[in-house]
Amino acid sequence: MMKGVHFLVAAVLLALVSSFASASDPSPLQDFCVALNDNASAVFVNGKFCKDPKLATADDFFFSGLQNPRNTENQLGSNVTLLNVDMIPGLNTLDISLARIDFAPYGLNPPHTHPRATELLVVLEGTLYVGFVTSNPDNRLFTKVLNAGDVFVFPVGLVHFQFNLGKTNAVSISGLSSQNPGLITIANAVFGSNPPISADVLTKAFQLDKNVVNYLQRRF
Ligand SMILES: *[C@@H]1O[C@H](CO)[C@@H](O)[C@H](O)[C@H]1NC(C)=O
Ligand SMILES: *[C@@H]1O[C@H](CO)[C@@H](O)[C@H](O)[C@H]1NC(C)=O
């Protein structure tokens, strides 16, 4: 009898805990989603509107051409091809996307974060120096030199980078744990915002001479 009561209490507690666990709001899939009372001017909700499943086709789950090298003739010497829900509509609500990154010799994918995704990267060719930095107050740097076949994890939200150490091209593929991982490139967000952040703010924040801030704001 006592055993039965204990079991019942445990079962009720478990049910309560699991109902609390599933009572949270869904994670955001974009930077923000301002509420509307009428839907006349709605663009999208958290994620996208869903197609009637009866109308779905294999092409909704398909992309072709990821084997082709991308053009890396830009200032950074890198090129990211992201296959998110905008490229493959069948990814909607599935918490996953894919990226190919091409690097010219000494090409850089500069410090950036994905606010909504952990990234799992595998090097297909070349040699990459990669790293991420933990949040405050430690700001610990974790780095690794990766060769073909090596895999590295960039935890969600942390600032990270990939740099081609070699004299040859490098190529990597990443899985990302969101249909829309989001991308914040640190230098662009800070020095290239539109409109610009006040130079007074940046001068103090980065302990820089105002001329340097003005220079950086022109660069980005
Ligand atoms: C918007 O609201 C109207 C009226 O409530 C409804 O008929 C229509 O299907 C809605 N459109 C979408 C895209 O939800
Ligand atoms: C990336 O490569 C594609 C195809 O080669 C090209 O169209 C695009 O402009 C490149 N992007 C950058 C940032 O260089």
Side-chain angles (χ1 to χ4, degrees):
M1 184 60 200
M2 210 45 199
K3 265 212 171 106
V5 170
H6 278 155
F7 175 77
L8 211 74
V9 168
V12 166
L13 278 177
L14 207 76
L16 273 176
V17 167
S18 50
S19 75
F20 284 141
S22 59
S24 65
D25 287 344
S27 304
L29 286 167
Q30 58 283 308
D31 285 349
F32 48 75
C33 182
V34 177
L36 276 177
N37 287 328
D38 73 275
N39 70 10
S41 54
V43 184
F44 60 90
V45 289
N46 197 21
K48 308 271 186 190
F49 294 118
C50 301
K51 199 184 222 182
D52 180 342
K54 288 197 286 294
L55 303 178
T57 68
D59 280 338
D60 291 329
F61 304 90
F62 177 73
F63 178 90
S64 178
L66 203 62
Q67 81 282 9
N68 299 328
R70 267 48 183 180
N71 184 345
T72 54
E73 283 168 23
N74 52 57
Q75 284 197 317
L76 292 168
S78 71
N79 192 326
V80 178
T81 307
L82 176 65
L83 303 184
N84 63 7
V85 67
D86 294 328
M87 305 295 286
I88 307 180
L91 287 177
N92 195 31
T93 74
L94 296 183
D95 299 340
I96 196 165
S97 55
L98 188 73
R100 172 188 171 120
I101 316 178
D102 288 79
F103 301 86
Y106 307 110
L108 172 70
N109 190 13
H112 64 278
T113 88
H114 304 293
R116 293 176 289 276
T118 289
E119 176 172 356
L120 184 57
L121 176 146
V122 56
V123 176
L124 296 188
E125 62 182 75
T127 303
L128 296 180
Y129 168 70
V130 305
F132 66 80
V133 179
T134 65
S135 51
N136 301 356
D138 294 348
N139 298 136
R140 230 179 118 194
L141 174 67
F142 288 73
T143 65
K144 200 81 179 167
V145 174
L146 306 179
N147 292 299
D150 291 345
V151 172
F152 202 73
V153 177
F154 304 97
V156 57
L158 300 188
V159 174
H160 61 281
F161 59 85
Q162 297 108 13
F163 179 63
N164 181 4
L165 278 184
K167 297 190 182 78
T168 59
N169 291 337
V171 181
S172 64
I173 298 281
S174 289
L176 295 124
S177 62
S178 168
Q179 68 184 47
N180 185 20
L183 170 64
I184 300 170
T185 306
I186 307 303
N188 300 59
V190 171
F191 295 107
S193 69
N194 180 20
I197 298 175
S198 151
D200 292 330
V201 170
L202 297 178
T203 302
K204 195 150 206 168
F206 291 91
Q207 304 282 298
L208 289 173
D209 190 281
K210 204 167 216 167
N211 291 326
V212 178
V213 168
N214 291 335
Y215 170 80
L216 286 169
Q217 288 191 311
R218 280 195 305 275
R219 296 288 296 176
F220 292 97

